[in-house]
Amino acid sequence: MTVVVDKAFTVTIERLLELLELEEEDDYGILKPTEYAFKTAMKLVLEAYKVMEIEFPQASACTDDEGGIRLTWSSRESERKVCLFCPDNSEQPVDIYYSTRDNYGVVDLVSVSTLINWLKWFNEA
């Protein structure tokens, strides 16, 4: 049995894993993601991919100065952007930021279906 994994998903996972190789911190704050942020981001991406499969878009990944993770899906053609913010700890909500040329907003991530809905919205462009 051969399992085919989409390139956009593979690149997204590789970018998440690369964050674990960062130095612990620098003059601006924490570089390496916290365990909570990494596990949260990985779980959401894996669960979204299980549903979306080849529709899963490629994301870039970075950390904030507290060890949280931001995954960003952006399209120059449609000027749409979706960002998933996984904070450094469970005391803060996981958020999704979305934007177009004329509109933007933030929603709390209630479940993986919320992420899937926004990624489908991103793909509609």
Side-chain angles (χ1 to χ4, degrees):
M1 177 183 205
T2 303
V3 176
V4 178
V5 178
D6 185 63
K7 183 179 182 209
F9 172 73
T10 302
V11 169
T12 301
I13 293 296
E14 287 172 352
R15 290 175 175 173
L16 265 173
L17 291 171
E18 286 172 0
L19 297 177
L20 295 177
E21 298 171 11
L22 295 173
E23 296 293 323
E24 289 293 327
E25 57 184 81
D26 68 5
D27 293 341
Y28 300 104
I30 299 171
L31 294 174
K32 196 172 192 173
T34 63
E35 183 178 340
Y36 174 81
F38 181 78
K39 284 183 176 181
T40 301
M42 188 63 79
K43 179 179 182 252
L44 290 167
V45 166
L46 290 171
E47 289 181 12
Y49 180 73
K50 283 180 191 176
V51 174
M52 297 182 74
E53 296 180 342
I54 62 169
E55 294 178 338
F56 188 89
Q58 182 173 306
S60 61
C62 65
T63 56
D64 65 16
D65 63 345
E66 296 179 353
I69 292 178
R70 180 176 67 207
L71 289 167
T72 304
W73 292 267
S74 59
S75 171
R76 291 183 190 166
E77 298 84 38
S78 67
E79 297 185 27
R80 285 188 182 202
K81 181 185 278 191
V82 172
C83 295
L84 172 66
F85 294 100
C86 297
D88 61 306
N89 64 64
S90 62
E91 295 173 17
Q92 302 169 35
V94 176
D95 289 325
I96 294 178
Y97 168 83
Y98 63 91
S99 68
T100 64
R101 183 178 336 128
D102 305 319
N103 190 19
Y104 64 91
V106 177
V107 294
D108 287 342
L109 182 70
V110 177
S111 68
V112 71
S113 62
T114 306
L115 175 60
I116 292 167
N117 288 337
W118 282 106
L119 292 179
K120 287 181 176 181
W121 170 83
F122 174 80
N123 284 339
E124 289 173 0

